[in-house]
Amino acid sequence: MERAMSAHAVIFDLDGVLVTTDELHYCAWKQMADREGIFFDREVNHRLRGVSRMESLAIILEGASRGYSSVERERLADEKNAIYRAALERIGAGEILPGAVETLDGLDAMGVPYAVASSSRNAGLILERTGLRARMSVVVDGNDITRSKPDPQVFLIAAERLGVEPGVCVVVEDAESGVEAGLAAGMRVLGVGPPERVGRAHRVVGSLREIGVSELVEV
Ligand code: BG6
Ligand code: MG
């Protein structure tokens, strides 16, 4: 594909960066884990950020007192996804995180292209429900990838679809795995969250509210 001459592009993670669905993931996994009698808390949950559904389940099952067959694993993952999708049916624009809309508005005003790159297979539904889908020219999600973060695949596909080189991209991430994926893609990375989680990023903020678009593209 011929690449456009763009000085900057921004690639956003979705859950925990643009929308609050990271909390819904936690609640759904918690319900599943409690039902199975498996210890699971917010500390363990941080390790699930950015990683695929089945890899997330594998991390939770590290705390289980017995082994689970692949059939059982499929059942637990389906169970969690059903709880999660029922919760997604009730979300709307109210789940968009502070600063997200202002950031997208600012990038539009500057003519900077942007994309969503998520490990979630539910990204399309979330973008529809929150009204963000129409704003996104490029969405790469869990259905498009074979390797989840910290592999850089999702971000490299996003850059390709935006028609820009990885080196001009700034990744915005709330996950340790996502920060690693952005770095591995050869991109600049803005971490959103506590330094102990996203401190390997080039710059760290608590929320998108704390950074203007002219600073964001220069991270
Ligand atoms: C990521 C979340 O966006 O999507 C992870 O940060 C989640 O926690 C992953 O496991 C997969 O999500 P889904 O919706 O495909 O189960
Ligand atoms: Mg995230």
Side-chain angles (χ1 to χ4, degrees):
M1 182 205 264
E2 191 161 323
R3 288 172 184 272
M5 292 289 289
S6 180
H8 302 289
V10 179
I11 305 179
F12 295 94
D13 172 52
L14 181 62
D15 299 319
V17 166
L18 295 178
V19 293
T20 60
T21 41
D22 51 334
E23 182 62 17
L24 300 180
H25 275 293
Y26 169 72
C27 293
W29 280 126
K30 179 73 180 150
Q31 208 172 311
M32 186 283 297
D34 284 352
R35 206 180 286 169
E36 284 298 308
I38 301 169
F39 174 78
F40 178 61
D41 66 0
R42 287 178 188 277
E43 209 47 54
V44 179
N45 185 60
H46 288 318
R47 294 173 56 208
L48 314 186
R49 289 177 187 269
V51 304
S52 71
R53 194 179 308 161
M54 293 312 286
E55 287 169 286
S56 295
L57 177 64
I59 292 169
I60 294 171
L61 292 181
E62 287 172 13
S65 53
R66 67 170 180 91
Y68 283 78
S69 69
S70 55
V71 172
E72 286 177 305
R73 285 171 188 250
E74 289 291 341
R75 177 181 58 77
L76 293 181
D78 287 350
E79 201 176 295
K80 179 267 176 175
N81 195 47
I83 299 168
Y84 181 57
R85 284 187 68 98
L88 291 182
E89 289 304 328
R90 297 188 291 272
I91 71 166
E95 273 66 32
I96 298 174
L97 280 163
V101 168
E102 293 79 355
T103 301
L104 300 181
D105 288 347
L107 294 174
D108 284 342
M110 285 175 76
V112 173
Y114 52 86
V116 161
S118 168
S119 303
S120 173
R121 291 174 183 266
N122 293 302
L125 174 61
I126 295 164
L127 289 167
E128 285 299 337
R129 300 275 330 162
T130 53
L132 289 173
R133 182 67 189 88
R135 302 198 66 153
M136 301 297 165
S137 55
V138 170
V139 176
V140 185
D141 70 16
N143 301 295
D144 299 307
I145 57 175
T146 51
R147 300 179 299 277
S148 84
K149 302 165 188 174
D151 189 283
Q153 186 185 35
V154 73
F155 294 133
L156 294 173
I157 295 174
E160 181 75 36
R161 291 194 189 163
L162 284 169
V164 298
E165 295 291 344
V168 307
C169 296
V170 175
V171 160
V172 186
E173 260 295 345
D174 70 313
E176 188 176 3
S177 64
V179 170
E180 293 305 326
L183 296 174
M187 298 176 179
R188 305 289 296 174
V189 183
L190 174 71
V192 180
E196 47 289 11
R197 195 166 79 220
V198 293
R200 294 244 308 137
H202 295 95
R203 181 167 169 192
V204 174
V205 292
S207 127
L208 276 175
R209 243 185 332 197
E210 293 167 26
I211 186 165
V213 279
S214 47
E215 286 175 278
L216 170 61
V217 297
E218 298 291 349
V219 153

